[in-house]
Amino acid sequence: MKDFKNYSLKEHNTFGINAKCKRYLEFESDVEAIEVAEILRKSQLPYIIIGGGSNLLLTKDFDGIVVRSGIKGYQFEESGGGSQEAEVRMTCGSGEVWDDMVATSIEAGYYGMENLSLIPGDVGASAVQNIGAYGMEAQYLILCVRMIEIATGKTWTIDKEACEYGYRQSRFKHDWKNRFLITRVTYGLSKTFRPNLDYGNIRAELERKGIQEPTAQQLRDIIIEIRNAKLPDPKVEGNAGSFFMNAIVTKQRCEKLAKQYPDMPHFEVDSRHEKIPVGWMIEQCGWKGKTLGRAGVHDRQALVLVNRGGATGEEIVALCEAIRKDVREKFGIVIHPEVNII
């Protein structure tokens, strides 16, 4: 187990903010997770649980304990069931890099994760954040989550229904926040590749390359190319990917806005709701490519806030609030950060 005092978190957040915590704990097994839970119970210090730091904005030093999973490893288990969920179970350590597991599943000939390629972060975060992209969300793959209850040290394995997943939401972000240390996540994959090509510009990119029936690897490569073209490399320009959640509004509200803004993109969520891309709204407010202090809005994707160099967490929050104010005044919609602000 890693146990450091007065520890810099600069390498643990993709904004590159040089904040410190009083103590840093990283567990590498279930046994160590139980030990960490005991430390947290006995300590009088506050604590937070992080993953790869790709969804984290630090605004100051944290006068407490930061906990992270370092559990590695994965295994596949095939079954004779006919459903996609039952065909293959892939169980991954919560400290594994998510995109490494996507690549591993494809190499093994098991499918379902392709559209979630290149999403930053760890496996444990997929269960907390319900990560999603290009028409797929983690909740459609997750079968169960293994975790240690901090208050008791007891080990639990819960199915996905208990997690109450929604758009970028789960109980781990609400009533279960900081209550459990996730150690493993099990996903249901298929031995048959069923490509999902109907979101974003996937089909257009495939057609441009002359690919009519892509393999899983080709689909992954296309999605990686699309994401790399839109999103800055955090090693070059600090960022946390999409900073805001897309807006979910009623169909009536969407229809009213569409009359006012005929070119407004929107996508059906269910029979009563539509999703409006917040990046489009931010761009309409004139923020794309703009800078406020040392924080800015990415010039290719307005949903991404970036550290232009030396920005503090407070500067990025100030930019966030200025954007929220303009979107609210122009569209009457309150947008919310997807990033966890500490």
Side-chain angles (χ1 to χ4, degrees), residues 115 132-137 167-168 195-206 219 222-223 226 230 246 248 265-269 275-277:
N115 288 43
Y134 299 104
M136 173 58 70
E137 293 184 352
Y167 173 62
R168 303 295 183 271
N196 180 357
L197 310 177
D198 295 323
Y199 198 94
N201 54 342
I202 294 175
R203 285 193 184 275
E205 287 299 307
L206 288 170
L219 176 55
I222 286 290
I223 288 173
I226 293 171
K230 292 195 305 182
N246 284 318
I248 306 297
H266 54 93
F267 308 92
E268 184 176 75
V269 175
K275 180 190 297 183
I276 302 174

Side-chain angles (χ1 to χ4, degrees), residues 18 21 37 46 55 79 83 132 236 265 273 298:
N18 190 22
C21 62
N55 205 44
S79 72
S83 70
V236 177
H273 298 91
H298 189 47

Side-chain angles (χ1 to χ4, degrees), residues 47-271:
Y47 62 86
I48 57 173
I49 303 164
I50 67 170
S54 59
N55 205 44
L56 180 67
L57 175 59
L58 299 167
T59 60
K60 57 186 176 181
D61 289 343
F62 182 64
D63 191 27
I65 303 172
V66 171
V67 180
R68 185 186 181 190
S69 170
I71 296 179
K72 303 294 185 181
Y74 61 89
Q75 64 181 27
F76 296 106
E77 180 184 0
E78 292 192 10
S79 72
S83 70
Q84 180 176 343
E85 284 192 346
E87 282 186 338
V88 184
R89 295 169 65 91
M90 181 182 187
T91 299
C92 307
S94 54
E96 285 283 2
V97 175
W98 167 259
D99 192 56
D100 289 351
M101 295 299 94
V102 178
T104 297
S105 69
I106 293 173
E107 290 169 5
Y110 303 132
Y111 310 111
M113 292 181 165
E114 303 81 32
N115 288 43
L116 301 180
S117 291
L118 209 64
I119 292 180
D122 294 345
V123 161
S126 74
V128 174
Q129 298 291 121
N130 185 25
I131 58 173
Y134 299 104
M136 173 58 70
E137 293 184 352
Q139 66 169 314
Y140 304 136
L141 299 171
I142 292 172
L143 298 180
C144 60
V145 180
R146 184 178 175 87
M147 58 197 190
I148 307 299
E149 186 175 20
I150 293 172
T152 63
K154 181 178 179 181
T155 299
W156 294 85
T157 299
I158 58 168
D159 60 27
K160 68 177 179 182
E161 284 74 23
C163 299
E164 297 180 2
Y165 285 119
Y167 173 62
R168 303 295 183 271
Q169 298 295 330
S170 75
R171 293 183 74 181
F172 294 108
K173 296 181 71 173
H174 299 287
D175 57 314
W176 285 355
K177 187 173 183 178
N178 286 343
R179 284 184 55 190
F180 298 96
L181 301 175
I182 295 174
T183 58
R184 286 174 180 79
V185 183
T186 298
Y187 307 94
L189 305 179
S190 174
K191 291 185 283 187
T192 302
F193 176 50
R194 302 179 179 90
N196 180 357
L197 310 177
D198 295 323
Y199 198 94
N201 54 342
I202 294 175
R203 285 193 184 275
E205 287 299 307
L206 288 170
E207 290 175 5
R208 188 176 66 82
K209 291 179 176 291
I211 301 173
Q212 294 184 345
E213 296 183 3
T215 64
Q217 186 60 53
Q218 286 174 324
L219 176 55
R220 170 171 163 78
D221 291 343
I222 286 290
I223 288 173
I224 288 174
E225 287 182 20
I226 293 171
R227 288 183 67 89
N228 279 333
K230 292 195 305 182
L231 302 174
D233 184 347
K235 294 177 183 177
V236 177
E237 194 169 37
N239 71 91
S242 299
F243 194 91
F244 298 98
M245 292 184 284
N246 284 318
I248 306 297
V249 301
T250 63
K251 282 188 176 291
Q252 292 86 348
R253 184 72 176 279
C254 185
E255 289 170 1
K256 184 177 179 180
L257 284 170
K259 289 179 180 178
Q260 189 175 358
Y261 303 99
D263 62 340
M264 181 185 76
H266 54 93
F267 308 92
E268 184 176 75
V269 175
D270 54 40
S271 60

